[in-house]
Amino acid sequence: MEQMSKQVALVTGGARGIGKAIVGHLARAGYHVVFTYNSSEATASAVAAEIMATCSWKSELPIVKPVKLDVVSHSGSQAVVEAIVAEFGQID
């Protein structure tokens, strides 16, 4: 896959609290952001939509993507990293 021009970030626990703030900051700075959550898919999807809406002034929107993951799972964590690299070409 061809590398994308935008930087790509992975944030664990990005659906609430400090993690959500970090996801928002990175997205508004122009990063594509994949964030993990371990509870509600509906909440994580709402967070992604909310953050994308705060970036609507940009001509090219960043991708904000939630991924369910229990970070205790080494194999699950490895699979998420591999999927991000396959989709975006990198993690910065």
Side-chain angles (χ1 to χ4, degrees):
M1 173 179 206
E2 180 181 322
Q3 277 194 310
M4 301 182 76
S5 59
K6 284 187 175 259
Q7 290 185 306
V8 180
L10 169 61
V11 178
T12 59
R16 58 191 176 117
I18 294 171
K20 179 180 174 183
I22 292 169
V23 171
H25 178 78
L26 289 170
R28 285 187 292 279
Y31 281 72
H32 292 308
V33 185
V34 178
F35 70 90
T36 66
Y37 67 94
N38 192 28
S39 55
S40 169
E41 180 178 357
T43 299
S45 294
V47 165
E50 173 189 330
I51 291 171
M52 293 279 296
T54 68
C55 300
S56 62
W57 57 271
K58 295 185 180 250
S59 60
E60 181 185 348
L61 290 175
I63 295 169
V64 179
K65 181 177 181 176
V67 175
K68 185 165 179 71
L69 173 67
D70 179 354
V71 294
V72 174
S73 168
H74 175 72
S75 61
S77 298
Q78 184 175 355
V80 167
V81 168
E82 290 172 359
I84 293 168
V85 171
E87 182 175 348
F88 294 100
Q90 65 200 36
I91 297 176
D92 298 296

